[in-house]
Amino acid sequence: MRKRNLLGVVVVAGLAVILAACSSQQSSSSKDQVMKVGTSANIGSANSLKYSDTGSVEAIQNVFEGLYRFNQKGQPVKALAKSVSVNKDKTVYTYTLQHGKWSNGQDVKASDFVYAWQQLGNPKTASPNSQRLDPFKNGYAVRNGKKPVSDLGIKALGKYKLQITLASPITYLPEILTGAPFMPINEAYAKKVGNKYGIDSAHLVSNGPYVLKKWHGTNDTWEYVKNNQYWDKKDVKQNKIDVQVVKSVATGANLFETKKLDYTQLSNEYVSRYQNKSGFHVSKSPSIGYMGFNTKRKVTGNRHARLALALAFDKKALTKQVMKDGSTPLNGIVPANFAYNTKTGTDFRKYSGSLVPYNVKKAQAEWKTAKKQLGIKKANIQLLAADTPEAKQVVEYLQAEYQKNLPGLNVTIHQVPLKQRLQMTSVYNFDFVYGTWAPDYADPINFIGDGGAYHLNTDYKNKTYLKDMANARGKYATEPVKRFAALKDAEKQLVQRDAFTAPVFQGSNAYLLNSKIKGLAVSPYGTTLFYRDVQFK
């Protein structure tokens, strides 16, 4: 009897040990779970000087860290900046940096920021984001080759001391500095690998919470692996994020339902299908769909032809009947409910008005003028786009509208992988192009001075626009009413007078997320995901 009791105690004790071990294994397994993400966007480049697409932005902002980052509430907070002091005029910011490390173990130095920014502004780099330096002292002159890069308003005062000088005071500097172009670059490494820097994960060292792995430059899958050299690695809970490009929304939704994805984006009928189900999220986004024009081509080089293309399609039908994802028509390049006058509280889109609404009669009149000026009765032009499901919907709709509303115009569609689309636009191998773009900070100038428009900084010579932009950045920088007036006129020149770029819609962000995942941050300016604080609960 005593032996039987003893045996029972042993069995129970043994079972307790086994259960405890299983519990420990389950806990460890849960902690080490891999988040699986579905995305529609490839990575175009991991080089913060060369990117011009949202897929690259997400990669760069998860593997690099600048002075600021966005928290889970969409607010800019200090990141590699440990502390900051500002002069009385609010034009000079002096930062003390955290003692960060690059993924190869080298120290992240203030001079790495200086090198990155100077290369961003160097005309030889031909960065599509060089205009982002305009708020900084001599930024405009440097990127236009009128001053040497050494005159740019950034310098290292020591190994961990960085000073930034603005051209004029601005209220949104932290938002600007969260952006991908302002990440540091390991100068020694970048010079060593030369033109190969950032073309794939094998030619990249980074300083952020994750390192990029298994990206070969063109493939549709990659990994973000926890960076053990990251200065704040104790706060990074997730060891790995697996990402795969999902070309079909239906495929993404199916993979989510079968628990093969923890995150996927939605569109069209899938919004109504999932809106009452667990894991569904939707938010209004300041991201836009837009068209860019090659002004060096015969047809799209004509202002009246561009205006016709900007006016000849029904945006309401596109968003309500085709996209059906919460997107709304957009008749200016700056989206609604995004940027407000700090003095009057007025939303810029409401203030600037409806610049290019759907108007078939006006579009046809512009097209008639264009044909007369060009000496043609018919024209064939090609619409370039990435090979995503969303792009396919939009460009096929545009094609049908143009051929219905603009007599004599034939539009062909050319869809290619994103990286190829970016390369084609950079070398002017297109007539007009459809793309999407998300801002980096909440100010109209981000759209009016960039907005995804290809070759805006080199090819758009409208003197009124240039004067307006210079005044908005300098003379009226601290006078919000006059500044908004200048930006309103600049947008009018860009969109309504010259149609250098044409708005299509303002987007929304609908997605499915595993309810066990906490800490995923979504950019307040688009769909970019930040994985730094992700963990399974």
Side-chain angles (χ1 to χ4, degrees), residues 10 16 26 42 46 72 91 173 236 263 269 274 335 346 360 406 438 449 465 479 482 504 510:
V10 171
Q26 287 174 351
N42 292 82
Q72 293 175 46
T91 56
L173 181 62
V236 180
Y263 171 94
E269 70 274 14
Y274 287 98
T346 305
V360 175
L406 300 178
Y465 167 87
E479 300 180 63
K482 290 182 178 180
V504 178

Side-chain angles (χ1 to χ4, degrees), residues 214-352:
K214 297 184 179 180
W215 178 63
H216 310 305
T218 57
N219 52 310
D220 289 343
T221 60
W222 57 89
E223 299 174 352
Y224 296 115
V225 178
K226 183 176 179 178
N227 182 5
N228 288 322
Q229 297 289 345
Y230 179 52
W231 71 272
D232 197 22
K233 64 180 180 181
K234 67 180 186 304
D235 281 346
V236 180
K237 309 299 182 185
Q238 192 66 21
N239 288 327
K240 194 170 79 160
I241 313 287
D242 280 349
V243 183
Q244 66 180 86
V245 176
V246 180
K247 297 290 186 181
S248 162
V249 176
T251 300
N254 180 62
L255 290 171
F256 182 86
E257 287 189 352
T258 55
K259 303 187 186 305
K260 294 177 182 177
L261 284 180
D262 297 304
Y263 171 94
T264 191
Q265 289 180 300
L266 294 176
S267 63
N268 297 356
E269 70 274 14
Y270 293 93
V271 171
S272 57
R273 182 183 299 182
Y274 287 98
Q275 60 186 356
N276 296 317
K277 294 187 178 182
S278 174
F280 175 80
H281 300 263
V282 66
S283 60
K284 197 68 180 175
S285 169
S287 62
I288 64 168
Y290 70 97
M291 289 182 292
F293 302 97
N294 184 352
T295 56
K296 297 184 183 297
R297 293 281 174 91
K298 180 178 179 179
V299 176
T300 50
N302 184 278
R303 179 172 71 92
H304 297 285
R306 297 195 301 271
L307 282 166
L309 292 168
L311 295 164
F313 63 98
D314 188 338
K315 297 172 186 176
K316 185 175 181 180
L318 170 64
T319 56
K320 296 294 183 183
Q321 298 172 25
V322 179
M323 299 180 73
K324 296 185 290 187
D325 61 354
S327 297
T328 53
L330 183 62
N331 295 319
I333 203 65
V334 181
N337 306 311
F338 166 68
Y340 299 86
N341 189 304
T342 55
K343 187 171 183 178
T344 66
T346 305
D347 172 38
F348 183 84
R349 180 72 275 128
K350 185 176 180 181
Y351 169 70
S352 192

Side-chain angles (χ1 to χ4, degrees), residues 471-537:
N471 285 338
R473 293 186 176 104
K475 185 178 179 181
Y476 301 144
T478 57
E479 300 180 63
V481 175
K482 290 182 178 180
R483 184 172 183 272
F484 257 44
L487 290 172
K488 176 181 178 179
D489 190 57
E491 186 189 36
K492 181 180 179 180
Q493 302 298 315
L494 182 71
V495 176
Q496 189 179 62
R497 182 191 180 280
D498 295 323
F500 189 87
T501 184
V504 178
F505 63 85
Q506 180 172 345
S508 65
N509 185 25
Y511 59 93
L512 296 172
L513 177 67
N514 185 339
S515 58
K516 293 182 180 180
I517 290 177
K518 307 299 178 185
L520 180 68
V522 182
S523 169
Y525 306 139
T527 59
T528 299
L529 304 179
F530 303 115
Y531 303 113
R532 183 187 187 276
D533 299 323
V534 161
Q535 58 182 309
F536 282 84
K537 289 290 189 179

Side-chain angles (χ1 to χ4, degrees), residues 406-427:
L406 300 178
L409 179 65
N410 179 58
V411 177
T412 57
I413 293 171
H414 187 42
Q415 287 193 266
V416 296
L418 175 64
K419 194 165 187 176
Q420 186 179 346
R421 192 208 81 185
L422 297 172
Q423 191 274 333
M424 290 176 70
T425 51
S426 68
V427 297

